[in-house]
Amino acid sequence: MTTNVINDQSEHDSHDGEHHDHKMTGLKRWLYTTNHKDIGSMYLWFSFIMFLTGGVMALVIRAELFQPGLQIIEPDFFNQMTTVHGLIMVFGAIMPAFTGLANWMLPMMVGAPDMALPRLNNWSFWILPFAFAILLSSFFMESGAPNFGWTFYAPLSTTYSNGSTAFFVFAVHIMGISSIMGAINIVVTIMNMRAPGMTYMKMPLFVWTFFITAYLLIAVMPVLAGTVTMVLTDTYFGTSFFDAAGGGDPVMFQHIFWFFGHPEVYIMILPAFGIVSTTIPAFSRKPLFGYSSMVYATASIAFLSFIVWAHHMFTTGMPLFGELFFMYCTMLIAVPTGVKVFNWAATMWRGSISFETPMLFSIAFVILFTIGGFSGLMLAMTPVDFQYHDTYFVVAHFHYVLVTGALFSIFAGAYYWLPKWTGYMYNDTLSKWHFWCSLVSVNLLFFPMHFLGLAGMPRRIPDYALQFADFNKWVSIGGFAFGISQLIFLVLVIKCIKGGEKAPAKPWDGAEGLEWTVPSPAPYHTFETPPKID
């Protein structure tokens, strides 16, 4: 298989050579590229642009909530902001960033010359900008952008939606197609193109987490496609899937959506586990503790993610048995996640740690992601969820998981591999500034939300009672500080690409072999059973 791909690629290159003097340049290079590194770079840049776009929307929301009353925007536009902010951050920022990291690093980690399906790879990237152009274009339409929340619950997205629902549905379909193609590419690459001798249990954990995530994507993206198609036909073609008057059921929408939506949350965090399991051993100068338990924990989380979806729906009135089942299954997810946190801590234990920027982001990830995990454990309990549902406590919970979790891991990976990608070392002072500004501001932004939620402030509402004013002011200040901090990262990356100090062969001066990939599984030490010798 590998040989065929190499031959195919070389034929493709020579064919290109006839027309383009061996190397395409300018725009053509990026439009037609089948090179996994180029495509990885495009995914990363695209995700960063989307991150800033979604971030501006978040700042509009926080500017409105800086003080009580309606200051800047109308409630309808506020709802449009919350909806598109969520869609862009999930489908446009976090997921493409992970796909970009996978494109860049996976072939090198498994010893493949490229991704298995290079042309599919190109296509799965290039349809994404069009999907988000369609979504964002709805702001300029008379009816306005989607205003029903990123979870687009029926009947808000059907009976009561504005005129842009069709554009939203089309955009989501294209994003889904892109995700499915990217996932197929990852699975085929890992299964068919590993270097000789690299068995599954010798793959780096980074590879494992993307492998499992790709299967999750292939399983749940068609469910999302079905959901948005039913929303489309209910809105424009007279069907009644979610309309009680026609024999449908609006609660069925929530079941179908969350059957996609809950594994989706793990699609956005499992790759983060892989990145952190790469950086922490490298900067602890130690092999990863408990490699095989990490693999099984990842697989367990993926399996459990399919049977907990209705914990988003405790307040819809399900039978007591259903509530108990979903409560216990949700709490069970804390076990494999706890195994991971323990293993990261054990990896750092008595290591010769150096606190370079990737390690700082990784340690922050472990601590802050754990806070998000604990608040998730609280929300898993049915009677507690009755109180906190649809409050800012939930907003605090999932932002701790997705910002200080997924996003911080992406920063850790970007700082870890930037010298490899560009050939230059980045400005260490700037990177430290980026880390500390982000760390302080992100906690100022999201931690007070826990208290707002516990006191009963509802989410997605542009106005609030006077009692919430002080916390909201601090949250908004934290939001703007966090947004501005990300510009430091932009400046740093551009400076790094342009040049600077040349990166040595081993930029992190680590223990032998603990550089771009971590040897897996760990060599024998006192905590593991001795390896079998063939």
Side-chain angles (χ1 to χ4, degrees):
M1 175 68 193
T2 312
T3 327
N4 293 348
V5 171
I6 296 170
N7 292 342
D8 190 35
Q9 190 64 34
S10 57
E11 278 172 35
H12 169 64
D13 291 345
S14 60
H15 175 68
D16 279 344
E18 293 165 26
H19 304 289
H20 307 296
D21 298 321
H22 269 324
K23 221 172 192 179
M24 289 183 282
T25 51
L27 188 61
K28 271 192 169 175
R29 170 191 165 183
W30 299 103
L31 279 175
Y32 299 143
T33 182
T34 52
N35 179 320
H36 71 98
K37 298 176 182 180
D38 283 353
I39 295 170
S41 300
M42 289 196 297
Y43 265 114
L44 289 165
W45 273 113
F46 174 76
S47 77
F48 192 65
I49 292 164
M50 285 292 106
F51 170 59
L52 295 179
T53 309
V56 167
M57 293 177 189
L59 295 185
V60 171
I61 294 166
R62 284 320 318 173
E64 176 57 60
L65 293 171
F66 185 75
Q67 58 190 49
L70 295 175
Q71 280 79 238
I72 305 168
I73 53 177
E74 294 297 311
D76 185 56
F77 189 69
F78 183 89
N79 291 340
Q80 292 176 31
M81 286 284 117
T82 55
T83 301
V84 183
H85 162 75
L87 288 167
I88 280 183
M89 289 309 202
V90 170
F91 296 107
I94 300 295
M95 288 167 71
F98 282 138
T99 312
L101 289 167
N103 262 300
W104 246 105
M105 303 312 301
L106 268 179
M108 292 192 264
M109 286 189 176
V110 298
D114 201 304
M115 295 295 276
L117 308 162
R119 290 177 194 277
L120 190 77
N121 206 9
N122 174 290
W123 194 43
S124 64
F125 170 75
W126 274 113
I127 61 176
L128 267 187
F130 293 96
F132 285 94
I134 291 166
L135 182 64
L136 291 168
S137 69
S138 59
F139 278 112
F140 304 102
M141 296 171 192
E142 201 177 337
S143 57
N147 60 356
F148 33 67
W150 85 271
T151 50
F152 56 100
Y153 278 8
L156 294 176
S157 57
T158 53
T159 312
Y160 303 108
S161 66
N162 58 24
S164 59
T165 303
F167 291 90
F168 154 78
V169 169
F170 189 39
V172 170
H173 269 305
I174 299 174
M175 297 169 206
I177 292 166
S178 168
S179 293
I180 291 169
M181 292 193 300
I184 289 170
N185 216 342
I186 287 170
V187 169
V188 177
T189 304
I190 293 171
M191 290 185 80
N192 289 350
M193 299 181 70
R194 297 192 309 283
M198 182 180 273
T199 60
Y200 282 112
M201 291 309 280
K202 284 183 182 167
M203 296 195 307
L205 210 75
F206 180 92
V207 178
W208 258 116
T209 53
F210 276 91
F211 192 37
I212 291 168
T213 304
Y215 273 112
L216 283 179
L217 275 166
I218 293 165
V220 301
M221 289 319 268
V223 178
L224 176 66
T227 319
V228 292
T229 304
M230 286 188 266
V231 165
L232 186 76
T233 58
D234 268 17
T235 311
Y236 297 104
F237 296 100
T239 56
S240 305
F241 291 110
F242 309 127
D243 183 2
D249 183 1
V251 176
M252 182 177 78
F253 173 90
Q254 295 190 32
H255 279 291
I256 301 170
F257 176 83
W258 286 115
F259 189 77
F260 146 78
H262 200 78
E264 165 64 27
V265 175
Y266 290 93
I267 285 163
M268 291 187 284
I269 201 65
L270 290 183
F273 295 164
I275 295 167
V276 170
S277 301
T278 305
T279 50
I280 286 178
F283 293 102
S284 303
R285 313 287 184 260
K286 264 178 73 185
L288 183 70
F289 176 85
Y291 167 84
S292 52
S293 65
M294 288 292 246
V295 173
Y296 293 125
T298 310
S300 309
I301 291 169
F303 169 73
L304 288 168
S305 74
F306 280 102
I307 56 170
V308 296
W309 76 89
H311 67 210
H312 297 268
M313 301 168 52
F314 285 145
T315 53
T316 57
M318 65 177 76
L320 183 63
F321 175 80
E323 288 177 349
L324 287 170
F325 172 82
F326 287 109
M327 179 171 86
Y328 290 135
C329 284
T330 305
M331 292 167 80
L332 199 59
I333 287 192
V335 177
T337 313
V339 167
K340 286 183 165 298
V341 173
F342 174 82
N343 284 7
W344 291 322
T347 305
M348 290 186 271
W349 177 251
R350 297 181 70 178
S352 351
I353 298 178
S354 56
F355 294 99
E356 272 95 349
T357 311
M359 187 60 164
L360 292 174
F361 271 107
S362 301
I363 294 169
F365 166 92
V366 174
I367 296 165
L368 299 174
F369 169 75
T370 304
I371 293 174
F374 279 132
S375 58
L377 202 55
M378 291 170 66
L379 290 164
M381 299 174 203
T382 312
V384 174
D385 186 76
F386 282 167
Q387 296 296 316
Y388 303 156
H389 188 79
D390 264 345
T391 69
Y392 262 84
F393 189 86
V394 179
V395 180
H397 154 66
F398 70 73
H399 280 91
Y400 262 90
V401 172
L402 291 179
V403 179
T404 60
L407 183 65
F408 271 31
S409 78
I410 291 164
F411 284 141
Y415 280 119
Y416 186 53
W417 286 306
L418 254 176
K420 179 167 189 63
W421 295 340
T422 62
Y424 300 107
M425 295 304 287
Y426 51 78
N427 183 316
D428 194 51
T429 311
L430 268 185
S431 71
K432 294 283 201 301
W433 268 101
H434 175 225
F435 169 73
W436 289 110
C437 290
S438 295
L439 183 74
V440 172
S441 59
V442 85
N443 283 293
L444 182 59
L445 167 58
F446 295 121
F447 204 79
M449 285 185 185
H450 291 104
F451 305 124
L452 287 169
L454 293 174
M457 180 174 164
R459 61 194 276 206
R460 295 185 185 171
I461 306 287
D463 191 8
Y464 53 85
L466 198 58
Q467 72 203 53
F468 304 128
D470 289 350
F471 272 143
N472 268 300
K473 185 182 288 184
W474 285 111
V475 168
S476 290
I477 291 168
F480 277 88
F482 184 70
I484 293 162
S485 304
Q486 305 324 305
L487 299 178
I488 303 173
F489 182 64
L490 180 63
V491 169
L492 177 142
V493 172
I494 292 169
K495 278 170 71 94
C496 186
I497 290 168
K498 282 188 167 176
E501 183 198 337
K502 277 236 178 292
K506 284 176 171 282
W508 305 118
D509 191 31
E512 188 64 35
L514 287 173
E515 284 303 320
W516 305 117
T517 60
V518 179
S520 304
Y524 171 65
H525 54 69
T526 51
F527 306 114
E528 301 269 347
T529 51
K532 288 192 178 75
I533 296 164
D534 295 330

